[in-house]
Amino acid sequence: MNALELLETSPVIPVIVIPDSALAVDLAHALVAGGICTLEITLRSSAALASIEAIRQHVPEALVGAGTVLDAQQLQSAHAAGAQFAVSPGLTEPLALAIRDRRIPFLPGVASASEAMRAAEWGFMAQKLFPAQAIGGVELLKAWQGPLPHLRFCPTGGIHAGNAAQYLALPNVRCVGGSWLTPAAAVAARQWGAITRLAREARTLAG
Ligand code: 3PG
């Protein structure tokens, strides 16, 4: 699978912060039960790597990746834990070189035309637009269709059930990312039914 194919796996990629790896498998099952099988576990919590490992071991239906990958060391740890793809809020040269070595599907974060062009020079044609809402959102992506028609985006940042469909209707958008499927309070309280409902709702967004 390459990164463009990754974008086709789900209309919504949940951006997940797991406070405790003991929650990971149940949380993944809750999302998969709602039809969302592509999961981004951010490296923002110390439970992230163990969570990726646990999901790989116990939830084979899930495609699990690491988010908030900031450097080559984190990429290596995530890959060793079993991450099947990686996402970053940006792109640095050391990270681009590490991705090239490991051949793992990767979405670099971009927030300007120059960043998008630089990422494309490294071969990354599928990119994360971040933080999407704050930098122009749907209007920015429409404006990029003319000069950057070869790029495909997964916008994240400020996206929710109320505005995701507007993004998904754009020809240069293949999926969106967001944390709204896994609210921190619902995860901590193990409200798996509520999370499955949010996933089911998100699954229908692509039409
Ligand atoms: C990300 O890391 O992709 C974003 O922080 C997710 O943004 P959101 O919390 O606004 O969905």
Side-chain angles (χ1 to χ4, degrees), residues 15 40 42 44 68 87 89 128 130-131 156-160 177-180:
V15 176
E40 176 187 331
T42 66
R44 287 174 222 179
T68 323
V87 185
K128 161 176 162 142
F130 177 79
T156 79
I159 299 180
H160 49 75
S179 59
W180 86 92

Side-chain angles (χ1 to χ4, degrees), residues 3-76:
L4 285 165
E5 290 162 348
L6 170 67
L7 297 190
E8 307 289 347
T9 61
S10 181
V12 178
I13 299 181
V15 176
I16 304 168
V17 180
I18 295 201
D20 177 350
S21 62
L23 298 169
V25 169
D26 287 348
L27 174 57
H29 276 138
L31 289 162
V32 168
I36 297 290
C37 300
T38 304
L39 317 179
E40 176 187 331
I41 309 293
T42 66
L43 301 186
R44 287 174 222 179
S45 77
S46 56
L49 294 175
S51 298
I52 290 169
E53 258 181 59
I55 294 169
R56 277 307 302 276
Q57 199 174 344
H58 299 290
V59 194
E61 316 89 289
L63 182 68
V64 60
T68 323
V69 175
L70 302 181
D71 57 39
Q73 178 59 49
Q74 287 186 332
L75 179 74
Q76 189 195 334

Side-chain angles (χ1 to χ4, degrees), residues 106-128:
F106 175 66
L107 300 177
V110 302
S112 71
S114 294
E115 290 174 10
M117 289 159 60
R118 221 169 288 130
E121 281 177 359
W122 282 104
F124 303 120
M125 301 301 169
Q127 305 177 356
K128 161 176 162 142

